[in-house]
Amino acid sequence: VAPFGGRAGVFTPNPLAAAWPTEGLPVILDVSMSITTNALTRRLRDEGRRFPGQWALTAAGEPTDDPAALYTQPPGTLLPTGGTDHGHKGYAFTLMVEALTGGLAGHGRADPKEGWGATVTIQVFNPAMFGGADEFRRQTEWVAARCRATPPRPGFAAVRLPGESGLRRRAEQLANGVAIYPGILTALQPWAERWQVTLPRPG
């Protein structure tokens, strides 16, 4: 991911995740500080598809919807969340994630690369130590309910909360099995052969 206003990659997508309860389903946030992920970029490149918008920069710094731009020499880069318009916000969040991970760990991008590595910060709050667990859920449930009750704009069936679709898929998969994207099994095949693991057959 390029810093806002730059054209060379400095960061990885730097995901930020959080979850908190309501009276019903929890709200689950899991987003990258870039417009998209490296995994989706690779998948679209391999399938000869393009981004829905200009989510990347070429090595020359030109906005593009071509995921292959990240695999040239020199490579292009992903844009921060917000793109060329409001990417300064994603850039600021990226720097925050860097401080909370590599900064707090004391090991990160300033150190020599020795294989793949990642730094993670996990912070857990106990609402009982603040205003109380019941009051916490009363507040989060009110906000969640108001979001769901908001009239949707044209093209949307309803207003959803972060994590709702994932929790729905989880329930469906627990009941009916996991539907795997076709390219994933193909990518796993060499590893399955290396470690002599039998991959599941498509159902």
Side-chain angles (χ1 to χ4, degrees):
V1 181
F4 186 72
R7 64 180 187 181
V10 174
F11 314 104
T12 56
N14 276 7
L16 176 66
W20 55 94
T22 67
E23 294 294 344
L25 295 174
V27 178
I28 301 174
L29 167 71
D30 184 4
V31 295
S32 292
M33 298 301 100
S34 57
I35 290 181
T36 189
T37 63
N38 286 322
L40 179 59
T41 300
R42 191 178 310 111
R43 178 187 297 175
L44 293 177
R45 187 275 310 262
D46 292 345
E47 295 177 355
R49 297 160 60 196
R50 302 184 87 86
F51 294 127
Q54 294 185 327
W55 291 2
L57 296 175
T58 66
E62 296 297 326
T64 181
D65 64 353
D66 185 3
L70 272 75
Y71 299 92
T72 59
Q73 289 300 327
T77 180
L78 291 173
L79 284 164
T81 293
T84 57
D85 186 12
H86 286 79
H88 60 284
K89 296 183 179 182
Y91 177 34
F93 277 124
T94 295
L95 292 172
M96 180 189 72
V97 173
E98 290 287 326
L100 291 175
T101 53
L104 290 180
H107 184 85
R109 301 193 197 283
D111 302 295
K113 292 182 179 179
E114 298 174 356
W116 185 88
T119 51
V120 178
T121 296
I122 299 175
Q123 189 170 17
V124 180
F125 294 96
N126 182 356
M129 304 302 292
F130 295 84
D134 291 340
E135 288 302 304
F136 180 89
R137 279 190 293 271
R138 184 174 71 88
Q139 296 292 339
T140 59
E141 178 59 28
W142 189 94
V143 174
R146 286 299 297 266
C147 289
R148 292 192 186 99
T150 301
R153 66 185 178 90
F156 289 81
V159 174
R160 294 184 296 135
L161 294 174
E164 274 190 11
S165 61
L167 290 168
R168 183 174 61 251
R169 286 195 302 271
R170 178 179 183 271
E172 293 171 352
Q173 291 170 353
L174 286 172
N176 305 313
V178 178
I180 299 177
Y181 191 82
I184 293 177
L185 285 179
T186 302
L188 291 175
Q189 186 63 45
W191 295 99
E193 294 172 356
R194 177 177 178 180
W195 299 108
Q196 299 179 349
V197 174
T198 303
L199 289 176
R201 295 174 176 271

